[in-house]
Each structure stands twice: as C-alpha cells, then as structure tokens.
C-alpha cells in the first residue's frame, strides 16, 4: 500500500518535471528526460501492479496492456531525428495505457456517443487501469459552484429529430453571416 | 594531506557581500592547462576567466606561485534557434587547453551547440609613428604630411587579448557535454548525448560523425558507459563498455538515475578509468570490464534520501571527478561545499570544505565529518543540516603539483599543499 502511494507521488512529481522542462531555457535535455521517463515507468509498473492486486483481472484487458507497453519499449529507444519523441513518450506513458482502451470502444455502435451525458466518467472500457490515472489534472470542464448541469435525456434528441427537424429549421434559422 | 587556502576569484557583482550569487557568475567548468601555469574557468554567463600562476619569488618563498587573473573574455553569447524555437544557453560546458606550441595559448570552449577555438596572446609592444594617422588614431590631412617615416615598436603595458580563431557549429542536435583534444594536436572530438563528432582544428564546416544507436539501459540492467579514446595513431575511436551487474537488493525507483555516470576520467598513466555516479566513484582497470577495481563511497548517507533529492532535482546533479598527477589520489565534490579525496594507496579519505566562513586564507583546512545517525559530536554536521544548494560539481587538479581548484557556485577556491 505504502509503495503504491509513493509510486503515485513519484509519478505526479515526474510528470510535473517533464512539463516544466519544456519551458526550461536551453530546451529539453535528452538524458535527463530519458532518466525521468525511466523513473516514471518503474513507478507506473508498481502502481499498476498494486492496483491489479486489489481487483481481479479479466483476461481480455491484459492484451492491450501488453501491446501498449511493448510498443512503448520500442519507441523509447532514442531516435536521433526526432528529439521531442522520447519526452513525448515519457509524458504519454501514463495515459497511453488508457488510450489503447479507446480503440476497443469503437465497436460499441449502439451507444449514443453524440449525446452522452457529461456526467459519465469516460467512454473508455473499464479495466485494469480504467479512466485517466487519478494523479493527473483533470482536463474536463468543471462546474463552477452553484451551477447545475442539465442532462439531456438519452435519446430525446434523436426521436425529436425526425419529426420536427423541418419545424426547427424554419423557426431557428440562424443567419450565416 | 593538509591544504591551505590561497586565492579567491574576485566576484565582480555588487552582490558580492550578500550571500546569494548572480546566476551568470556560477562557475560551470574549471581546467588547468598542461603545465599548470594557467587555470581557466567558464561560467553560466558565457565568460571565460583565465588565471596565471605568478613566478615564484625568492624574497617571498611562502607565497608560492599564486594565481592571478590573466585574461577575461566573453566566449559565448545567448542565441536563439529559430527553427526549433529554442534558446541556446551561453553557459560554458567545457574548456580544454591545447598543448602550447608557441608564445600564444589556445583553448577550446563550448556551450550546448558551438565549440570555439580561442587564441590568448600577449601584447607588450605597440607600433608608433604612423605616417597617415596621428597618435590618437585620427587620419591626418594628407597636405600636412611632408616626410616619410617608419613606425617603431615601443614598449607598452602588457595587454592580454583573446581572439576567436575558429567557430565549430551546427553539428549537434543535442547538447554538447564534452570535448577532448587529440594528442596529434590536429583533431578534437565533441560529444552530445547521441553523437560524437571528430573535427579537424582547421576545418569548421564539416566533421565526421558517429551516432550511438543503442546506449540506453534496457530493462533491469544498470547504466552502461561509453568512453571514447583518440589513441596515438589517430585512427581509432574506441568504444569501451563498462558495466557492473546490479545488486537486486538495492533496487529502487531511482536505481537508474543513481547509477547513471556523470563523469569519466582516464588516469594519467592511461591504465585506469575513473567513473563518477551519484553516490560513488569507481576506478576501473581498462582490461577488466565487468567489475571495478575500487569503489569509493562519496556520500552514502544520501541513499535513504533519494526521494527528496529527486523532488528537489539534486539527484540529477552531475559531479565531476579528477585524478592527481601521480594517479594516487582521486577527488570529487559533494554537497554543503564539501569535497572528498581518496588516497588509493593508503585507503584513507578526507572530507574538506570550501567556504569563506569556515576557513581563513592560509589556514589549514580542517577535515569535516557528516554524522550519519545517533549522537552527533561537536564538530560533526548532521545529514539534515546539509545545504544542498551548495554543491561542488567542478574540480580540477594541477597536472604535477598538489594544487587543486574547486568551484563552489560562483566562487573559485584554490588550495595548495602546506609549505613546511
């Protein structure tokens, strides 16, 4: 447990160092960025392996996890031509695992993605490392205190569309200039 | 070994009397020339200051050859890379002297991207009596010139001037971390994280490149070392791979960072290699790649503090290490303005401090000790009281005498052996 807390903290510190190094005078330092990404990788492995021991793992989510870390290992070997890449890999390391999950959800055509309520956590399939890691700053818009969110009822727009599209278009023509 | 405090660089900033340093004055490299007569320092502001040792005087034998400022010049200026939208720092990363061939001195100085060859020469005569110019340099009215005269060289106050003779640029994608001059005096190499460039001193528009394709530690193995040696035949750039198997019981998040090598130095006799990583200095036999001959603990008490040293970035500090002239003693820096010396023969070591408050000029330096736990004795300092902003990263040793130069942030300390 302790290790997990420390791993999370080290990950957060490392990410902020990587972000900070982008604005550093003199540009990104390759060796330092590579060392940072190494630390992040060990911290991430420990973090995920201790999360794993909490919840039982399904067999399917294991695959995307392995392929993403293998792809990552290959891309971590430095390429002389593209300097930002090792840093980008380090920065994306934490989110790459969850990104791979997004590809799976393309198969879910029955879901109404357009009108999905903002209160849902994410479109990504829940798995070993579901959603964004909780130490990352949230990129979603946050409500100001006092506001309330009005969720459009699922499917309501769709059913309306066929019937009253013409009426809508007549009444709500928005000038295009 | 007892040392005495000798000279100090004058800090020209008006902030001198305060305890904080102007960032531009932070010394980033120190280097003796091959005779030890000259000592060059480079700083973060792109300046080079060269000190020269006084001739020893018979009347004052105890003032054995002090170092005084000989020349100061601006070597590099900050630049902007428009293509990558990046600032290029003017900080001098390394200075290397060329062996002296005539009356002038030559050195190579480099920042992150550009290496420059500087010529430092003395001028103690001045031509006077020009026909077309008067004494102030103004052009004379040709109507007033009635006779021809030949200018004559007159003595003047010694002036030392530095001129940039070559500029070697546009050859490194990453940041240059070191330069090394070949013994043939015609070529030198510059290295960044992934490339080694071999230059001819006369040719600035091209160089030979060697790209390192796999230098990064793979999972589970410690850092690898590549060192490049220009041998006397000038043909070979030899890559030597030294690696010590990692002890799995000490593995932590930071194992790779602390085993990452910050400096490499060949011994003067060419048989040994010394490497500095975050916590230790190791001496390797060039014939034996799988384990070091000797390992010296520099500040092992930091091993338990790696997490906080990671947070305050100190774990990335790159300490240098240096051999003495006879390869019997090695020296490296630490925190709190401490530096350490290890005698390879007697196996004794000492911790000394470079600070104005704790040592007067000409006083013998008192050995310091860090208390690692339990009761702290009177003169000891506890690990938690160490000042991690005072780090000695750059040190150098005179090629054959016991004189050392130690850079402590923006101050330069020169220590000599006590004269009995």
């Amino acid at each position: 447990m302790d290790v997990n807390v420390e791993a999370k903290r080290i990950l957060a510190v490392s990410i902020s160092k990587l972000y900070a190094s982008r604005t550093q005078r003199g540009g990104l330092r390759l060796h330092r960025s590579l060392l940072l990404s190494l630390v992040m990788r060990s911290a991430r492995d420990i973090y995920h392996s201790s999360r794993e021991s909490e919840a039982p793992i399904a067999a399917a989510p294991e695959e995307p996890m392995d392929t993403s870390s293998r792809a990552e290992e290959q891309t971590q070997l430095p390429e002389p031509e593209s300097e930002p890449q090792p840093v980008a890999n380090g920065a994306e390391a934490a989110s790459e695992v969850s990104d791979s999950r997004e590809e799976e959800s393309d198969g879910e055509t029955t879901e109404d993605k357009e009108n999905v309520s903002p209160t849902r956590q994410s479109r990504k399939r829940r798995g070993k490392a579901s959603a964004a890691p909780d130490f990352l700053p949230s990129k979603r818009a946050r409500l100001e205190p006092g506001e309330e969110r009005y969720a459009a009822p699922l499917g309501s727009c769709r059913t309306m569309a066929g019937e009253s599209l013409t009426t809508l278009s007549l009444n709500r023509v928005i000038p295009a200039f | 070994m007892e040392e005495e405090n000798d000279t100090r660089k004058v800090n020209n900033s008006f902030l001198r009397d305060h305890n904080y340093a102007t960032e531009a004055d932070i010394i980033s490299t120190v280097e003796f020339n091959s005779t030890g007569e000259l000592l060059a320092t480079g700083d973060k502001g792109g300046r080079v200051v060269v000190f020269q040792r006084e001739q020893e005087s018979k009347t004052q034998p105890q003032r054995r050859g002090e170092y005084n400022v000989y020349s100061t010049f601006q070597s590099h200026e900050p630049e902007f890379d428009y293509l990558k939208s990046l600032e290029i720092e003017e900080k001098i990363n390394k200075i290397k002297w060329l062996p002296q061939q005539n009356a002038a001195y030559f050195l190579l100085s480099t920042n992150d991207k550009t290496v420059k060859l500087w010529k430092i020469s003395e001028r103690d005569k001045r031509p006077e009596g020009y026909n077309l110019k008067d004494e102030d340099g103004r052009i004379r009215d040709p109507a007033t010139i009635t006779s021809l005269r030949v200018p004559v060289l007159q003595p003047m106050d010694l002036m030392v001037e530095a001129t940039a003779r070559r500029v070697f640029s546009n050859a490194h994608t990453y940041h240059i971390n070191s330069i090394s001059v070949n013994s043939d005096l015609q070529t030198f190499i510059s290295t960044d994280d992934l490339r080694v460039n071999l230059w001819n001193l006369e040719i600035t528009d091209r160089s030979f490149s060697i790209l390192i394709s796999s230098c990064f530690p793979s999972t589970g193995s410690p850092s690898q070392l590549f060192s490049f040696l220009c041998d006397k035949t000038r043909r070979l750039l030899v890559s030597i791979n030294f690696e010590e198997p990692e002890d799995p019981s000490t593995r932590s998040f930071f194992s790779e960072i602390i085993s990452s090598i910050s400096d490499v130095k060949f011994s003067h006799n060419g048989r040994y290699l010394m490497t500095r990583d975050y916590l230790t200095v190791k001496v390797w036999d060039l014939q034996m790649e799988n384990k070091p001959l000797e390992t010296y603990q520099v500040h092992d008490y930091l091993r338990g503090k790696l997490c906080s040293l990671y947070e305050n970035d100190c774990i990335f500090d790159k300490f240098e290490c240096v051999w003495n002239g006879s390869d019997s003693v090695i020296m490296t820096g630490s925190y709190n303005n401490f530096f350490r010396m290890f005698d390879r023969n007697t196996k004794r070591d000492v911790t000394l401090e470079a600070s104005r408050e704790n040592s007067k000029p000409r006083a013998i330096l008192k050995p310091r000790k860090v208390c690692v736990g339990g009761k702290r004795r009177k003169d000891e300092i506890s690990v938690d009281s160490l000042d991690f902003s005072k780090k000695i990263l750059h040190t150098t040793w005179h090629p054959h005498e016991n004189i050392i130069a130690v850079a402590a942030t923006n101050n330069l300390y020169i220590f000599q052996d006590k004269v009995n």
Side-chain angles (χ1 to χ4, degrees):
Chain A
M1 234 335 147
D2 247 345
V3 178
N4 186 28
V5 168
E6 209 199 341
K8 207 160 98 171
R9 186 154 143 258
I10 288 176
L11 265 169
V13 167
S14 309
I15 289 174
S16 66
K17 281 188 195 296
L18 267 175
Y19 284 164
S21 67
R22 291 181 188 185
T23 54
Q24 204 176 46
R25 216 179 149 230
L28 294 163
R29 308 231 146 222
L30 177 63
H31 190 237
R32 182 193 151 101
S33 308
L34 289 169
L35 288 175
L36 275 175
S37 63
L38 272 184
V39 171
M40 280 173 59
R41 192 156 62 135
S42 355
R44 186 204 64 174
D45 290 344
I46 299 200
Y47 177 71
H48 286 318
S49 64
S50 62
R51 287 276 289 258
E52 197 178 308
S53 59
E54 289 168 30
I57 325 152
E62 285 244 13
E63 279 177 32
M65 178 66 153
D66 287 344
T67 49
S68 75
S69 50
R70 229 179 286 129
E72 213 179 303
E73 270 187 44
Q74 285 166 12
T75 50
Q76 272 215 336
L77 284 178
E79 295 155 26
E81 255 57 71
S82 48
E83 185 174 4
Q85 196 159 342
V87 181
N89 277 338
E92 289 163 5
S95 46
E96 197 171 329
V97 174
S98 33
D99 280 342
S100 67
R101 243 153 269 307
E102 209 164 357
E103 300 162 74
E104 251 93 41
S105 57
D106 285 341
E108 302 167 49
T109 47
T110 51
E111 242 183 33
D112 183 359
K113 291 190 193 141
E114 294 282 301
N115 298 313
V116 104
S117 157
T119 51
R120 265 181 62 145
Q121 261 298 321
S122 81
R123 300 182 209 143
K124 299 161 189 165
R125 185 191 292 176
R126 312 234 163 241
K128 219 175 355 168
S130 59
D134 43 2
F135 45 78
L136 277 182
S138 166
K139 288 184 189 165
R140 292 152 23 77
R142 273 190 280 261
L143 283 177
E144 296 301 313
E147 274 185 42
E148 272 180 18
R149 182 170 279 145
Y150 293 93
L154 256 180
S156 62
C157 292
R158 230 202 269 151
T159 51
M160 267 178 68
E163 295 158 357
S164 48
L165 194 55
T166 45
T167 4
L168 271 175
S169 61
L170 281 176
N171 292 342
R172 293 181 164 278
V173 165
I174 299 162
F177 52 83
Chain B
M1 181 188 311
E2 282 154 347
E3 311 283 316
E4 76 181 41
N5 190 338
D6 203 352
T7 43
R8 247 166 285 139
K9 169 170 152 176
V10 173
N11 184 349
N12 289 325
S13 161
F14 80 93
L15 297 168
R16 174 198 333 197
D17 296 327
H18 301 253
N19 257 337
Y20 48 97
T22 321
E23 199 168 316
D25 291 334
I26 295 175
I27 299 172
S28 49
T29 187
V30 284
E31 186 83 8
F32 278 104
N33 75 338
S34 53
T35 60
E37 182 205 351
L38 297 176
L39 174 66
T41 64
D43 65 22
K44 254 189 145 182
R47 286 166 303 203
V48 172
V49 180
V50 179
F51 297 84
Q52 186 186 42
R53 196 175 186 193
E54 263 177 16
Q55 297 290 6
E56 300 195 7
S57 102
K58 305 261 184 324
T59 52
Q60 287 189 303
Q62 68 272 20
R63 287 175 67 89
R64 250 177 45 179
E66 288 189 2
Y67 284 84
N68 300 311
V69 178
Y70 177 65
S71 170
T72 304
F73 56 94
Q74 186 75 32
S75 170
H76 287 71
E77 298 274 1
E79 285 172 60
F80 197 78
D81 180 342
Y82 293 98
L83 202 60
K84 293 187 191 165
S85 216
L86 280 181
E87 265 195 274
I88 300 174
E89 281 191 283
E90 67 276 30
K91 170 168 78 90
I92 308 294
N93 292 335
K94 266 293 183 298
I95 292 175
K96 281 280 152 68
W97 290 95
L98 269 60
Q100 201 174 359
Q101 290 178 280
N102 52 36
Y105 301 105
F106 286 86
L107 60 79
L108 286 170
S109 73
T110 184
N111 70 348
D112 283 339
K113 298 288 184 189
T114 304
V115 186
K116 293 189 185 180
L117 175 68
W118 288 89
K119 173 180 175 181
I120 301 168
S121 48
E122 294 181 4
R123 192 199 288 263
D124 59 358
K125 292 185 188 44
R126 176 178 62 211
E128 282 178 16
Y130 284 99
N131 277 302
L132 303 174
K133 291 190 290 189
D134 65 20
E135 297 306 313
D136 301 329
R138 280 177 303 208
I139 309 289
R140 286 162 68 176
D141 180 1
T144 63
I145 301 172
T146 53
S147 62
L148 185 71
R149 57 180 177 164
V150 177
V152 173
L153 287 174
Q154 300 288 359
M156 60 180 254
D157 292 334
L158 179 65
M159 190 170 78
V160 181
E161 28 177 46
T163 45
R165 304 294 295 187
R166 304 272 187 276
V167 177
F168 306 89
S169 56
N170 294 324
H172 286 278
T173 313
Y174 300 99
H175 303 287
I176 299 175
N177 48 47
S178 72
I179 47 178
S180 186
V181 184
N182 194 351
S183 47
D184 68 359
L185 308 184
Q186 289 183 16
T187 53
F188 73 95
I189 57 177
S190 58
T191 64
D192 66 23
D193 289 323
L194 291 181
R195 183 195 298 258
V196 177
N197 280 332
L198 174 66
W199 304 84
N200 183 304
L201 281 163
E202 300 298 321
I203 301 171
T204 60
D205 59 357
R206 62 209 122 97
S207 60
F208 290 103
S209 269
I210 296 177
L211 286 163
I212 301 170
S213 60
S214 67
C215 67
F216 212 70
S218 51
T219 330
S221 87
S223 68
Q224 299 170 345
L225 163 67
F226 285 83
S227 62
F228 293 89
L229 163 69
C230 281
D231 77 0
K232 305 258 187 294
T233 64
R234 206 182 64 182
R235 280 181 300 118
L236 292 175
L237 270 177
V238 174
S239 148
I240 306 169
N241 191 351
F242 288 85
E243 185 178 336
E244 188 181 12
E246 191 187 350
D247 178 4
S249 65
T250 59
R251 177 137 186 78
S252 75
F253 288 114
F254 309 108
S255 297
E256 281 96 0
I257 300 188
I258 61 168
S259 58
S260 164
I261 289 165
S262 55
D263 194 20
V264 182
K265 290 279 182 8
F266 284 98
S267 61
H268 290 95
N269 59 21
R271 287 170 47 202
Y272 304 107
L273 188 70
M274 167 166 54
T275 62
R276 173 70 155 103
D277 53 58
Y278 191 62
L279 297 176
T280 70
V281 187
K282 297 185 161 108
V283 175
W284 304 75
D285 184 325
L286 284 180
Q287 316 292 338
M288 189 165 64
E289 294 179 1
N290 61 337
K291 74 180 177 70
L293 271 181
E294 300 148 27
T295 301
Y296 300 93
Q297 301 294 335
V298 181
H299 37 218
D300 201 56
Y301 45 79
L302 296 183
R303 201 178 280 272
K305 298 195 162 291
L306 294 180
C307 199
S308 24
L309 292 167
Y310 179 70
E311 285 177 34
N312 66 15
D313 265 1
C314 283
I315 207 173
F316 296 103
D317 286 335
K318 298 196 172 198
F319 290 95
E320 291 174 7
C321 54
V322 70
W323 298 88
N324 74 339
S326 58
D327 298 332
S328 58
V329 181
I330 58 182
M331 174 170 74
T332 188
S334 177
Y335 293 103
N336 209 73
N337 280 348
F338 286 170
F339 57 100
R340 306 259 283 136
M341 286 192 205
F342 301 92
D343 188 320
R344 297 177 61 217
N345 299 324
T346 65
K347 301 300 180 200
R348 279 170 46 208
D349 63 83
V350 69
T351 305
L352 299 169
E353 184 178 358
S355 104
R356 264 187 265 205
E357 290 83 33
N358 292 332
S359 53
K360 302 184 179 35
R362 299 188 195 296
I364 295 173
L365 285 180
K366 210 175 54 163
R368 303 303 308 256
K369 194 154 162 57
V370 177
C371 154
V372 287
K375 273 184 79 76
R376 187 178 75 89
R377 293 208 200 93
K378 196 173 68 116
D379 282 340
E380 290 181 356
I381 180 165
S382 72
V383 181
D384 297 313
S385 317
L386 292 174
D387 188 343
F388 290 95
S389 68
K390 296 191 178 157
K391 48 193 95 172
I392 293 185
L393 302 173
H394 311 288
T395 57
T396 186
W397 204 303
H398 189 288
H400 28 264
E401 293 191 38
N402 279 340
I403 305 175
I404 57 176
V406 166
T409 319
N410 64 328
N411 288 313
L412 179 73
Y413 291 83
I414 302 178
F415 300 103
Q416 288 187 6
D417 240 2
K418 182 174 181 316
V419 182
N420 281 318

